[in-house]
Amino acid sequence: MHAELVPDAEKPIAEEALRDPVKRGFYLATIAHCMECHGRRPDDVQDYKNAWGKGGYVFKGPWGFAVTSNITSHPKSGIGAWTDAEIRRALTHGVSRDGRAFKQPMARQDYFSGMTDADLDALVAWIRTIPPIE
């Protein structure tokens, strides 16, 4: 059995494509492995077709447990109603819209906070393109 590859990430992204904020955001999300968790069903199966951004998988570890969030554009189940600033804050400060601190393994603010403004804007632009899933 082989690992399922993130769709459209099977080959290198052309340099000129990285000038497009959405394509750059996809590239950054791919190397950050965002969908390895947010595209995993609750039964621990990667499903980039039906669970793209839906979340719901429960991680268990020494921190307790953490459920991957729905990062689709769904306005209620996902983050579609969040502002760009709230998404950036979630990435760079490791907190949800309501101020709740993220648990491991999503407490990645040390990595995201070191990104340039342009790269954070690209990530947000790409996240906005994730179709809504309830």
Side-chain angles (χ1 to χ4, degrees):
M1 184 173 139
H2 61 76
E4 186 174 351
L5 297 174
V6 171
D8 299 322
E10 309 87 9
K11 57 184 182 287
I13 296 175
E15 187 71 32
E16 66 271 3
L18 294 177
R19 290 188 205 105
D20 176 291
V22 172
K23 290 178 182 171
R24 184 173 191 81
F26 169 75
Y27 167 76
L28 294 167
T30 300
I31 62 174
H33 301 281
C34 297
M35 288 305 186
E36 275 78 353
C37 298
H38 293 281
R40 185 183 305 253
R41 299 188 321 222
D43 63 0
D44 194 23
V45 172
Q46 287 301 146
D47 186 351
Y48 296 133
K49 183 176 180 186
N50 301 302
W52 186 250
K54 184 176 180 180
Y57 176 70
V58 178
F59 283 93
K60 295 178 182 115
W63 62 83
F65 72 93
V67 180
T68 54
S69 296
N70 182 327
I71 61 167
T72 72
S73 58
H74 193 281
K76 292 194 188 318
S77 300
I79 60 173
W82 291 31
T83 66
D84 289 356
E86 288 169 331
I87 295 170
R88 280 180 71 123
R89 187 180 80 144
L91 294 169
T92 59
H93 290 85
V95 293
S96 185
R97 188 180 198 194
D98 62 7
R100 175 186 49 83
F102 293 154
K103 293 181 181 179
Q104 291 294 341
M106 187 53 209
R108 301 258 187 239
Q109 62 272 15
D110 290 347
Y111 304 110
F112 290 112
S113 64
M115 296 177 85
T116 66
D117 286 340
D119 282 347
L120 285 166
D121 289 344
L123 261 177
V124 171
W126 172 76
I127 289 169
R128 293 279 186 212
T129 68
I130 301 171
I133 301 176
E134 192 166 1

